[in-house]
Amino acid sequence: MIDRLVRIAILSVPLLAAQPVLAKEPAAKESTAKAPPASEAPSAAPASPAAKQPSAGQSAARERQKTCGAEWRALTDAQKAAQGPKWPQYWSKCNKRLKGGDKA
């Protein structure tokens, strides 16, 4: 038992000695990363709105999902049970209906 404690103490000394050195390094890196030069700030702004616009099919699918979601929320529990017990089943039927695939 004492042998284990001695080993732990011997092995932990270098770690404890290195702790203050390791704690100072990230702070130095953060200080250089926090203050970008003023000339770089305007160039970073135009790069952020580079998100792709959704295609026409993606926009149509999103609109169908919103429409079906509004219909689903408007249904009562009894009506939901008749349509299908869960949202995925209702969404499948509603999506087909709105696409025109279900000619009922």
Side-chain angles (χ1 to χ4, degrees):
M1 178 75 174
I2 294 175
D3 185 36
R4 285 186 182 176
L5 292 175
V6 171
R7 287 181 191 174
I8 291 172
I10 291 172
L11 293 174
S12 64
V13 170
L15 294 175
L16 293 174
Q19 185 179 8
V21 174
L22 295 175
K24 292 179 182 178
E25 288 179 11
K29 290 179 184 177
E30 288 177 8
S31 64
T32 58
K34 284 184 181 178
S39 61
E40 289 183 19
S43 64
S48 60
K52 288 176 36 178
Q53 296 296 323
S55 68
Q58 289 172 333
S59 297
R62 185 172 295 138
E63 289 302 316
R64 286 193 306 271
Q65 188 173 17
K66 286 180 182 180
T67 303
C68 290
E71 291 175 11
W72 175 256
R73 287 187 296 277
L75 293 176
T76 63
D77 288 337
Q79 292 170 328
K80 286 180 183 178
Q83 294 290 331
K86 302 201 185 297
W87 163 250
Q89 289 82 15
Y90 182 81
W91 160 244
S92 177
K93 292 177 185 176
C94 181
N95 190 35
K96 288 177 187 175
R97 179 176 45 87
L98 291 177
K99 278 183 171 180
D102 190 16
K103 308 277 191 228

